[in-house]
Amino acid sequence: MTYIEKEGFRISEFIPFIKDQLLELNVYETEDHPLVPYASMTENKMMIDQIRMLNHKWIIASFTDGTYWGEMLLKYEVIDRKELKFKVLASTLYAN
C-alpha cells in the first residue's frame, strides 16, 4: 500500500480501479476471454469472478464458466496513471 500511495494514488480509488478494469474484460465478443488462457467447455463464457490483489505488481484472479474453474497469477502495470496492462504469468484449471 505504501508503494501505491508513494506513486500518488489513493488506495480507496486504486483497488476498485484495478478490479473494475479486470471485470470489464468479461465483456467480450470473441470465443476466448482476453486473459483467461482456457477455452470454455460449456455453453457459457469464461469469466473472471474473484480478484485478490497481492501487492503493487501481482494479482490472483479466479475464473469460471459455471462448471469449470481455475486461477491465474497476473502481473499488472499502470501506464500513464489511467491505463492498465495485464500479463498472465501462470494459470491452472482445476479438475471437476
Side-chain angles (χ1 to χ4, degrees):
M1 284 203 228
T2 304
Y3 175 85
I4 293 168
E5 289 172 343
K6 284 183 180 179
E7 291 293 312
F9 295 103
R10 289 185 173 172
I11 295 298
S12 62
E13 297 170 357
F14 185 74
I15 293 174
F17 170 68
I18 300 288
K19 289 182 176 184
D20 288 346
Q21 293 293 309
L22 272 173
L23 292 175
E24 281 181 19
L25 294 174
N26 283 339
V27 180
Y28 60 97
E29 298 298 322
T30 61
E31 189 173 315
D32 297 327
H33 191 283
L35 280 181
V36 176
Y38 301 97
S40 174
M41 294 178 273
T42 69
E43 294 176 3
N44 301 319
K45 292 183 172 186
M46 281 291 189
M47 308 280 267
I48 295 172
D49 62 348
Q50 294 181 8
I51 301 163
R52 291 178 298 253
M53 295 192 61
L54 299 178
N55 58 28
H56 67 289
K57 290 290 178 188
W58 297 321
I59 295 170
I60 293 178
S62 300
F63 55 86
T64 185
D65 64 3
T67 302
Y68 300 94
W69 67 95
E71 293 181 306
M72 57 187 167
L73 176 64
L74 302 172
K75 179 180 178 181
Y76 72 94
E77 179 181 357
V78 179
I79 302 167
D80 295 330
R81 299 181 58 88
K82 59 185 174 189
E83 183 184 342
L84 290 172
K85 181 178 175 183
F86 297 103
K87 180 179 180 183
V88 178
L89 299 177
S91 62
T92 188
L93 186 66
Y94 297 113
N96 196 1

